[in-house]
Amino acid sequence: MTSKIEARLAELGHDLPPASQPLNAYQNVVIVNELAFVAGQAPMIGSERPFTGPLATDADIEKGKKATQLSALCVLAQM
């Protein structure tokens, strides 16, 4: 059964990546009262980093958008 969020992401053509495990001495998500604090969500799929390095030219803007989108999906996957 999919949630409303997963259904909406599917409508938009997105899948949630697997939630990552902490790489260092931090927790990926800490919930305090009704606030969730999410840390360490680089644009990764599993252990693969499809986006690395700075955005050097205007041609890289689309690459930057995709990296940002993947980071946001990683945050959602942690939740």
Side-chain angles (χ1 to χ4, degrees):
M1 176 150 178
T2 60
S3 72
K4 288 181 183 181
I5 294 170
E6 290 169 321
R8 180 64 178 141
L9 288 170
E11 280 179 33
L12 297 171
H14 301 295
D15 291 318
L16 288 179
S20 65
Q21 297 299 313
L23 298 176
N24 294 308
Y26 64 85
Q27 295 179 355
N28 286 339
V29 179
V30 174
I31 298 175
V32 178
N33 296 322
E34 295 181 5
L35 294 175
F37 297 88
V38 183
Q41 300 308 303
M44 295 179 69
I45 300 173
S47 61
E48 180 186 336
R49 295 188 134 203
F51 303 100
T52 58
L55 298 177
T57 67
D58 288 343
D60 287 339
I61 295 298
E62 194 59 37
K63 179 180 170 183
K65 287 179 183 178
K66 289 180 182 181
T68 302
Q69 188 176 67
L70 180 54
S71 291
L73 289 170
C74 289
V75 168
L76 291 175
Q78 289 298 328
M79 299 304 295

